[in-house]
Amino acid sequence: MQELHDAPLAPLTTFRLGGPAGRLVTAVTDDEVIAVVREADTTGTPLLIIGGGSNLVIGDKGFDGTALHIATKGLILDGTTLELAAGEIWTDAVARTVEAGLAGIECLAGIPGSAGATPIQNVGAYGQEVAGTITEVVAYDRSTGGTVTLSNAECGFSYRHSLFKEQPERWVVLRVRFGLEDAGGLSAPLKYAETARALGVEPGDRVPAAEARDVVLKLRAGKGMVLDPEDHDTWSAGSFFTNPILTDQQYADFVARARTRLGDTVTPPGFPEGEGRTKTSAAWLIDKAGFTKGYGSGPARISTKHTLALTNRGGASTEDLLALAREVVAGVADAFGITLVNEPVTVGVDL
């Protein structure tokens, strides 16, 4: 277990932003993770937990407390069962399952960050969510001081949400277990139209899992969503805003407002979410509100490849990033009456 003081946190985040931590501890075993958390809880020390840093916006003043970097390792693949330590690199884990010919998370390739973060956000992309394959999550419960194993149902998964996100001060994810599918080397049925088109098949079809993974990586790279230290479009947290989910009335009001602004023939994106709800596209809202690719003149700008990503062009501060985010939120609200919600977790700052 490594311990540093007045340690920079920016290098631990994909934004490469944020001030230092009073104390930074890197834990490589579950026992070390638990020991650091218990010490912080016993002494009343503020605690910041960092995994891959791909969903984190840290204020310029940093964090006055203990930052715990979870760097635990452990990947166990037994038949169709996968167990990952929280510190395992997610993209590497996806690659291992594809190499083994297993289906279920191949379309989640290229997502930066650690395995322990995936259930917190219910990470999803290209028609798959981890909620579809997670069977259990092993977590430390700070309210009781014990380790528990939660079933999929107990995790309370919904769109980009979970029990762990709802109660962030209570849970520390230690291990995640998945139930995958042996489909003879084929992928799960493709649910995302863009992926199917790129593969020359129809939604619902299966293709070799490796082909599905490779196409997703290509699509993500084209949007600046695969980490590349030389590409400032990837100095981001991926999608900065979640896709709004609207009631039927809210969606109808939104359509009317969009047509007033853009013309009577415009039909905004709408995807049924059940129970009288419709999901629309945050990227569409941002673009149609006037915030196009590359928008901005300072060191923090919208990605040149995807309007949903806010980026550090080099030399940006967290306040530069937040100023841009606030401008986008205000502009979308003014144009369409919808308030965007940030996906990354903020530390020491508010949007």
Side-chain angles (χ1 to χ4, degrees):
M1 187 161 61
Q2 182 187 64
E3 180 174 330
L4 300 172
H5 293 270
D6 196 27
L9 294 179
L12 297 179
T13 74
T14 53
F15 265 123
R16 295 168 169 81
L17 295 176
R23 175 181 179 232
L24 172 64
V25 180
T26 300
V28 296
T29 69
D30 290 353
D31 286 344
E32 288 179 356
V33 171
I34 292 171
V36 174
V37 175
R38 282 179 174 165
E39 177 193 37
D41 291 345
T42 299
T43 59
T45 303
L47 179 68
L48 170 63
I49 296 173
I50 302 175
S54 61
N55 203 47
L56 200 57
V57 178
I58 299 174
D60 292 318
K61 292 183 179 179
F63 183 73
D64 186 15
T66 295
L68 169 58
H69 181 210
I70 297 180
T72 53
K73 296 298 178 184
L75 185 156
I76 302 171
L77 191 56
D78 183 8
T80 58
T81 300
L82 172 69
E83 179 178 298
L84 298 174
E88 281 289 334
I89 298 172
W90 175 250
T91 53
D92 293 348
V94 173
R96 278 287 301 276
T97 66
V98 171
E99 289 168 5
L102 299 176
I105 58 175
E106 64 280 357
C107 291
L108 302 178
I111 295 176
S114 61
T118 61
I120 298 172
Q121 286 290 117
N122 184 18
V123 164
Y126 295 95
Q128 290 181 345
E129 290 181 331
V130 292
T133 49
I134 286 178
T135 56
E136 294 178 331
V137 174
V138 180
Y140 176 71
D141 185 350
R142 296 171 69 180
S143 70
T144 65
T147 300
V148 298
T149 300
L150 301 171
S151 68
N152 181 292
E154 290 172 320
C155 291
F157 291 124
S158 60
Y159 173 67
R160 299 296 180 271
H161 196 71
S162 69
L163 174 71
F164 313 108
K165 187 173 181 179
E166 187 174 320
Q167 301 175 331
E169 300 300 320
R170 178 175 177 181
W171 304 102
V172 180
V173 174
L174 300 173
R175 296 189 169 266
V176 190
R177 295 175 181 142
F178 300 81
L180 304 176
E181 178 188 7
D182 185 350
L186 296 179
S187 68
L190 298 172
K191 296 181 180 179
Y192 202 70
E194 183 183 15
T195 313
R197 283 196 303 271
L199 288 160
V201 299
E202 297 295 323
D205 288 347
R206 294 177 184 262
V207 298
E211 290 186 14
R213 185 267 316 272
D214 291 347
V215 157
V216 165
L217 287 173
K218 184 177 180 180
L219 291 171
R220 290 185 64 87
K223 299 173 183 177
M225 298 291 185
V226 176
L227 293 182
D228 178 352
E230 302 302 317
D231 183 358
H232 282 277
D233 279 331
T234 73
W235 289 32
S236 74
S239 299
F240 195 87
F241 300 102
T242 58
N243 291 320
I245 297 177
L246 311 174
T247 65
D248 286 345
Q249 185 59 56
Q250 287 172 331
Y251 184 71
D253 293 343
F254 162 48
V255 171
R257 196 157 175 167
R259 287 177 175 168
T260 298
R261 179 183 178 89
L262 303 172
D264 292 340
T265 61
V266 169
T267 300
F271 310 95
E273 283 289 305
E275 299 180 358
R277 301 186 306 162
T278 300
K279 180 167 66 178
T280 192
S281 166
W284 187 94
L285 289 165
I286 293 166
D287 181 71
K288 299 304 181 185
F291 303 99
T292 53
K293 295 175 184 176
Y295 178 88
S297 58
R301 304 179 198 174
I302 290 177
S303 166
T304 66
K305 300 182 179 72
H306 199 297
T307 54
L308 201 48
L310 308 187
T311 67
N312 172 11
R313 310 312 296 185
S317 66
T318 301
E319 194 50 45
D320 291 330
L321 175 76
L322 294 176
L324 175 62
R326 292 172 186 135
E327 183 182 1
V328 171
V329 170
V332 168
D334 180 64
F336 300 111
I338 294 174
T339 301
L340 294 176
V341 176
N342 54 291
E343 186 169 336
V345 175
T346 56
V347 177
V349 290
D350 293 306
L351 187 58

